[in-house]
Structure formats: structure tokens, C-alpha cells
Amino acid sequence: MNILTLNHVHKSFARTEGEDVTQALSDITFTVKDGEFLSIVGPSGCGKSTIMRLIAGLIFPTAGTITLNGEIIKGTDTERGMVFQKPTLFPWLTVKQNLDFTAKMKGYTHKADYESESERLLELAGLEEFRNDFPHQLSGGMAQRLALIRTMINKPRVFLLDEPLGALDAFTRMNMQDEILKLWQRSNHIVLMVTHDIDEALYLGTRIIVMAPRPGRIREDMKNEMPYPRVRTSDEFLQMRKRVLEMLNFGQILN
Ligand SMILES: Nc1ncnc2c1ncn2[C@@H]1O[C@H](COP(=O)(O)OP(=O)(O)OP(=O)(O)O)[C@@H](O)[C@H]1O
Ligand SMILES: [Mg+2]
């Protein structure tokens, strides 16, 4: 059982020459376990990406601790796979090479160990025909799909998704949502996903964290017990949606 814990996490960023600081996060505490899918929503600048980068081990808390299975996160590791808001691909490698390179970083040394999964994911993302293209030849949505499957191939214990579907058209987006869901249900690992799309948060998450800005705080940490597959037009869904929307508006009036 994997357990990820953020315990009274604060994060400030120095601005000009240490004069002023931006307090990005204040007192963030939550625990996520295997089998949980945590959706994080909140206004722009409330610290959502900062939370993801902290868990990825790219930056460190100003105060408080972050642990995975009791161990403090000291840096990046393939056990915590992140998909960034802006796709980060290796520009000098083709689509297929981007995918295979990540599998090799995880330690797969034989092609046979990752080849079938790599092929399956290329097909899933609709990128088979573009396998020999380079990232600059892809559309924004294609690049984002590649970034997503590249992280999927390593089956991380903690899957960190920072608005991974923002650049996609509605149809591809819904397909990818189902794929993320399948991946999570199969692995039963921890997923944290930041999104601006409340429907997406509700369609996927077993739990939804609603944040308030400046400094970023948790306004509400609510369970979403609707059974899967969820129906976006069901009464239950629409009621939950209303609740989250009200919470977000409430936040804007207060701040
Ligand atoms: N490296 C950095 N240096 C200085 N300030 C930063 C840095 N990273 C983030 N911040 C600040 O921290 C705050 C939170 O930023 P963050 O990117 O986490 O927000 P967000 O909730 O992801 O926003 P969005 O929804 O627009 O992506 C912002 O005020 C931002 O300016
Ligand atoms: Mg962000």
C-alpha cells in the first residue's frame, strides 16, 4: 500500500533579490493512498502546479514535510511520474524514441520488455503514424498525448498530472480521460490530477480538493463516491458540479 502524505506544507518563492516573497502555499495537509484518485481544482495561481512539483521532488517545501511510504521526498524518481502543464519532450528524439527512452530510464534493458506496451500506447494516443516525427512537427494536442503516454509507460506509484488534457479537443479529451481512468483502475496506484475543468475533476476523482488562492490553501477536501462509469448528465453528477462551482465562486468573492 502506497501512502503519500503532505504534512503542514508551506512554500514561498523569493522574488527580487530576496526583497519580497510570494507565499504560494500555506499549510497544506492531506494524505492519499493507493486506490485514490485526487482531483485538484482552484483558481489560477493558487499553487496547484507548485503542489505537483513538490511531490515530484523538483522543488522543496519551505516548511512541513512530504513523504511517500514514510520516506521524505528528496528529489525526482521514476516512482513519481509527472505530466507537466506544458509538454516536456526531448526535441532531438522522434515520437517513438521519446517513448522508448523513458522506458529505458526506468531500467527496461531489453526491447521486448517494453515494446508491446510502447506500441499499444502509441496506438492509444493516435500517434502510430507519427512515430518517426520530431516533437516540433506535432500539434499541441499530439505533443501532450505523447507526454501522457510517456509517463504511463513507467507505471509510476504516484501519477502526477498537471492539466494534462488542457490542449486537447473535446473528443480526444474524453477518450484520454477514460484511458487515465483505466490505467488507474488497473494499477490501483495513486493519481493526483490538476484540472480547470470541473466536469473532468468529477468524472475522474474519488476525491476533490478545492483550493483558495494567495496563499494557496485547501478550501474543501470532499469525497466523490459516485460509482464508475460516471454519467456527466446524471442528477447526482450535476448536484456535485453545483457544489464545486459554488465553492469556487465563494472563493473569488472572499479574495
Ligand atoms: N519558480 C517560481 N518562482 C517564483 N514564483 C513562483 C514560482 N513558481 C510559482 N510561483 C508563484 O506561486 C504561485 C502559484 O503558482 P502555481 O504555478 O503553482 O499556480 P497554479 O495554481 O498552478 O496556476 P495555474 O492554474 O495558472 O496553472 C503564483 O503566484 C506563482 O507566481
Ligand atoms: Mg499550474
Side-chain angles (χ1 to χ4, degrees):
M1 168 68 93
N2 295 299
I3 301 180
L4 174 75
T5 303
L6 280 77
N7 193 22
H8 299 292
V9 170
H10 296 252
K11 180 65 187 174
S12 304
F13 290 105
R15 280 160 96 179
T16 46
E17 312 271 310
E19 251 183 44
D20 207 358
V21 293
T22 304
Q23 208 188 342
L25 292 174
S26 172
D27 205 18
I28 303 291
T29 296
F30 63 81
T31 296
V32 210
K33 296 191 182 76
D34 271 350
E36 282 192 289
F37 191 126
L38 186 65
S39 299
I40 302 177
V41 297
S44 180
C46 72
K48 303 179 297 295
S49 295
T50 303
I51 291 184
M52 304 303 250
R53 286 161 61 216
L54 284 164
I55 299 169
L58 292 164
I59 52 173
F60 299 93
T62 311
T65 53
I66 305 180
T67 57
L68 178 60
N69 304 330
E71 284 187 31
I72 295 204
I73 288 170
K74 297 208 177 84
T76 56
D77 193 296
T78 50
E79 68 178 12
R80 284 167 278 117
M82 173 125 169
V83 178
F84 293 87
Q85 202 166 351
K86 293 183 194 135
T88 46
L89 300 167
F90 302 116
W92 61 91
L93 297 180
T94 66
V95 166
K96 181 73 163 77
Q97 287 166 342
N98 258 282
L99 200 53
D100 292 349
F101 181 75
T102 318
K104 285 180 203 155
M105 287 206 334
K106 173 83 177 178
Y108 294 119
T109 44
H110 300 293
K111 211 173 175 191
D113 294 341
Y114 60 82
E115 191 58 23
S116 63
E117 183 63 3
S118 165
E119 286 299 326
R120 198 189 71 80
L121 289 172
L122 273 183
E123 197 186 321
L124 166 78
L127 292 171
E128 320 96 293
E129 282 173 46
F130 305 94
R131 62 175 63 235
N132 297 321
D133 284 2
F134 290 91
H136 75 271
Q137 296 170 291
L138 305 177
S139 72
M142 286 156 75
Q144 192 58 283
R145 261 138 58 203
L146 177 57
L148 194 62
I149 59 169
R150 209 183 51 166
T151 306
M152 281 182 181
I153 202 166
N154 279 340
K155 304 185 176 68
R157 290 164 192 265
V158 182
F159 201 31
L160 301 164
L161 303 170
D162 191 359
E163 296 189 47
L165 310 180
L168 305 184
D169 64 279
F171 285 112
T172 316
R173 186 169 187 147
M174 285 195 264
N175 282 336
M176 290 309 281
Q177 285 171 358
D178 286 332
E179 274 314 314
I180 292 172
L181 206 55
K182 261 192 248 160
L183 174 93
W184 164 71
Q185 285 167 338
R186 227 183 293 141
S187 73
N188 209 35
H189 284 347
I190 297 168
V191 178
L192 282 88
M193 175 157 163
V194 171
T195 176
H196 274 127
D197 182 338
I198 292 161
D199 279 9
E200 185 167 280
L202 289 169
Y203 185 72
L204 297 172
T206 59
R207 223 168 115 193
I208 300 174
I209 282 186
V210 181
M211 293 187 63
R214 263 176 294 278
R217 287 149 293 153
I218 294 177
R219 181 175 298 282
E220 189 80 36
D221 183 343
M222 58 195 243
K223 281 209 163 108
N224 180 4
E225 286 169 330
M226 283 186 278
Y228 297 97
R230 292 174 173 164
V231 182
R232 291 176 173 88
T233 47
S234 70
D235 287 346
E236 206 182 0
F237 197 99
L238 296 173
Q239 262 168 28
M240 282 281 278
R241 187 173 195 277
K242 188 161 173 273
R243 255 183 83 191
V244 175
L245 271 174
E246 279 167 0
M247 251 173 244
L248 285 166
N249 286 335
F250 180 61
Q252 274 154 19
I253 291 161
L254 274 186
N255 290 283

